[in-house]
Structure formats: structure tokens, C-alpha cells
Amino acid sequence: MAVFGGTGRVGRRLIEYASQAGHSVRALVRDPARLRGTVPESNTVTGDVSDAAAALTTIDGAEVVLSSLGGAGLANPGTAISNGMRNIVAAMTRSGTRRILAVAGSGVLDDPRGGIRGEAPDFPDVYRAITREHMGTWEALRGSDLEWTLVCCPDLVDGTRTRHYRVEANRLPQGGRSISVEDVADFMLEQAGAPSYPRLRVGLAY
């Protein structure tokens, strides 16, 4: 498995759970010391997702890609998330790897009233900038011919791996307000092995 965003909250759980399940994990990280003890040094690629060559090295030979890329912050997230996904998609196309699961916010899901949640007039302003970045992730994926699933989350909280959560294609489960980073990682690993939502956004919440 190739992991991007492995030093983040979801990414660390992805690596932990994948390793526990016996999967070989290769992770791209700017500072390999941050993954010491979780990923063998030989399985870390030093670099940044903006580096096309580093992305290709990370993905080459992997059966599935797991991405939990994060931004610099809500107010000014930068473009690392959307540009990073474009690089990942290009690298997957070159390497022949087909399956990818990525994380985004729930603003990219369909609004029950029509349109996209992040474009609704009452969508919280504080999340609009990061939602635009996540829209870039979705656009990169749906513009490809890859076998993708975009896992879309409301508030991410630290908790436990309950394995009890609601899932809905293209929409946020009604009343859903939060999901733990542990259960997001759990869902992604489950779907990596047995995909049920090909080329779909998926709302995940309690």
C-alpha cells in the first residue's frame, strides 16, 4: 500500500492498521523521523507530494493508494491538497496502479436541497476555503479513469475504532456531525480490500 499524508491524524492510523493487518506500507514523508518505529526506513520515501518523481516512487508497485493529505489550515489551506492529488493521479496512471481511496471534507457531498453542500448559502464560511481544495481533489479523481472512492467526513475527532458508523453514497448521513479518525482509517482499509463504492463520494458519520 502507498500512503500519502501518513504523519497526519488519519494517516498514522492508516499505517498502524495496515501494518497490523500484515500489509506492506510505503509512505511519502518530508521527515522520515516522524514515522520512525511505524514504517521501516526502507519503506519511506523522503519528499513532498508536489514532487512528481517522489509520488511515482511511492506508488510504483503498490496495489492500492491511500491518501489523507491535509492543508496548512482552514483559513488558508494552500493548494497542496488539490495539486498533490493531481500528482498522485498522474503517478498512478504512469505506474498502472488503479485503486485509490482519499479523504475530503463533507462540503463536497450533495446537499439534499440540491447542489453541493459547500456551495449552499448557509454553509459555514470558515470551511469554504478548505472545501474548495477538497473539490479539487474530487475533480482530479473523477477526471481520471482510476477506481477511486472519496471518503467525505464531517468533524474529525480523536476517539476509538468502533466500526459502527453510517455510510451513504454522495451524501452525509442525516444528522451526522462527527466521525473519529480511527473509524475513517478503518473504513478506508476495509474498502481497499473490498470496494463497495467505486467512483463515488461517500459520507461517513455516526
Side-chain angles (χ1 to χ4, degrees):
M1 292 183 166
V3 176
F4 293 87
T7 59
R9 296 161 69 207
V10 174
R12 286 184 177 276
R13 293 302 188 188
L14 285 171
I15 290 172
E16 177 187 348
Y17 298 162
S19 298
Q20 289 173 352
H23 297 291
S24 176
V25 175
R26 185 185 300 131
L28 176 66
V29 62
R30 287 189 289 269
D31 180 7
R34 296 184 65 186
L35 290 181
R36 189 167 294 144
T38 61
V39 178
E41 187 174 346
S42 59
N43 282 17
T44 58
V45 178
T46 303
D48 188 275
V49 71
S50 63
D51 183 339
L56 182 59
T57 299
T58 306
I59 291 168
D60 195 34
E63 293 184 1
V64 63
V65 174
L66 305 173
S67 173
S68 58
L69 294 175
L74 292 178
N76 186 19
T79 59
I81 298 173
S82 58
N83 286 338
M85 184 52 65
R86 294 182 189 103
N87 270 342
I88 291 170
V89 167
M92 290 180 68
T93 301
R94 288 184 62 186
S95 70
T97 302
R98 301 283 304 155
R99 180 76 178 135
I100 177 170
L101 292 106
V103 177
S106 62
V108 304
L109 293 167
D110 292 345
D111 191 311
R113 300 164 296 184
I116 301 296
R117 294 182 77 245
E119 297 172 350
D122 58 351
F123 190 75
D125 287 340
V126 67
Y127 297 118
R128 289 192 185 276
I130 192 69
T131 295
R132 284 193 292 271
E133 273 297 280
H134 290 156
M135 287 291 290
T137 292
W138 180 31
E139 290 165 1
L141 290 171
R142 65 178 174 172
S144 74
D145 63 355
L146 300 177
E147 298 169 6
W148 58 268
T149 300
L150 187 59
V151 183
C152 305
C153 311
D155 287 343
L156 280 170
V157 298
D158 295 315
T160 58
R161 191 182 189 182
T162 71
R163 291 180 167 167
H164 295 291
Y165 39 81
R166 293 179 293 154
V167 184
E168 186 170 347
N170 297 321
R171 287 191 179 187
L172 185 67
Q174 186 174 7
R177 294 183 179 275
S178 68
I179 185 74
S180 73
V181 295
E182 291 83 0
D183 277 334
V184 173
D186 178 81
F187 177 77
M188 291 176 74
L189 283 173
E190 174 193 276
Q191 290 297 306
S196 303
Y197 302 92
R199 296 186 64 83
L200 290 172
R201 294 158 294 152
V202 177
L204 206 63
Y206 295 127

